[in-house]
Amino acid sequence: MTTLEIRFLPVDQVSPELDRAIDTLDHLAFAGEQDDDPEFASIEWGSPDWMVLGFLDGELVSQLCLHKREIAVGAERVWVAGVGGVATHPDWLRRGFASQVLRASETFMRDELQVPFGLLVCADETQPVYARCGWQTVARSLVFVQNEKPRNLETCVMILPLSNQAWPSGEINLLGLPW
């Protein structure tokens, strides 16, 4: 397996040139997804706190976004690192790059962000990729808030335990925009 150079950058330290590369990768990786699911087209997505970027010979080939957020699960409040925008350039798919970025992010979430869980949403077809990296399915839907109104999102919700804290039971509410 080829090893990536992985960088963790606060969003405010992403250069305009790198931001364009991230936007290009997003477009290539997620093009047509909104056409497949019109519900996703109407969602406003939250701005990340961190970018985790995988480079191969100086070229951006894989990425994900991290959001540190306190959410509600049932009656409890829980801090999570929200993982979103996991993408690999189409020319570099199926080489384990997304898994490398995910695994590197695990240590960062635990040690730097100091949260007990990672949390992501994904399509059923990508759930096995995350499961191989230690993520566990905990729900089939969650609530988020957009325009001051709660909205339900039917999707696979997964967590990555980063401590010995038990995941609470109950409805998951992101208490803000999704990532």
Side-chain angles (χ1 to χ4, degrees):
M1 178 188 298
T2 305
T3 302
L4 293 177
E5 174 197 349
I6 298 175
R7 299 182 203 157
F8 296 84
L9 289 174
V11 169
D12 64 1
Q13 291 183 16
V14 172
S15 70
E17 178 184 36
L18 188 51
D19 193 44
R20 284 189 294 278
I22 292 167
D23 286 346
T24 298
L25 181 52
D26 278 341
H27 177 73
L28 290 170
F30 298 111
E33 216 171 77
Q34 292 182 356
D35 299 334
D36 294 340
D37 190 345
E39 182 182 10
F40 272 68
S42 68
I43 295 175
E44 178 185 351
W45 299 93
S47 297
D49 300 309
W50 291 85
M51 293 299 303
V52 184
L53 306 170
F55 295 88
L56 192 60
D57 297 325
E59 178 187 353
L60 178 65
V61 297
S62 196
Q63 68 185 30
L64 63 79
C65 308
L66 290 175
H67 308 249
K68 185 174 179 181
R69 171 102 55 89
E70 186 178 38
I71 67 169
V73 183
E76 294 186 42
R77 295 286 181 119
V78 179
W79 280 95
V80 299
V83 173
V86 178
T88 298
H89 191 287
D91 292 346
W92 297 99
L93 291 174
R94 305 204 192 303
R95 297 183 189 183
F97 294 147
S99 295
Q100 286 182 52
V101 172
L102 279 165
R103 287 193 173 101
S105 298
E106 180 178 343
T107 301
F108 185 82
M109 289 185 287
R110 182 180 44 255
D111 298 346
E112 296 296 321
L113 299 182
Q114 298 182 346
V115 294
F117 302 99
L119 186 138
L120 61 78
V121 300
C122 66
D124 288 339
E125 6 350 309
T126 56
Q127 184 273 343
V129 172
Y130 298 111
R132 283 191 298 273
C133 291
W135 292 77
Q136 305 164 10
T137 302
V138 292
R140 298 298 308 162
S141 69
L142 56 72
V143 174
F144 65 95
V145 178
Q146 184 170 308
N147 298 325
E148 300 180 22
K149 295 179 184 167
R151 287 184 61 181
N152 194 53
L153 182 61
E154 300 289 328
T155 189
C156 179
V157 183
M158 301 183 82
I159 63 157
L160 179 68
L162 300 168
S163 71
N164 58 5
Q165 182 175 331
W167 182 255
S169 62
E171 179 182 72
I172 300 168
N173 187 330
L174 299 181
L175 303 175
L177 296 175
W179 48 81

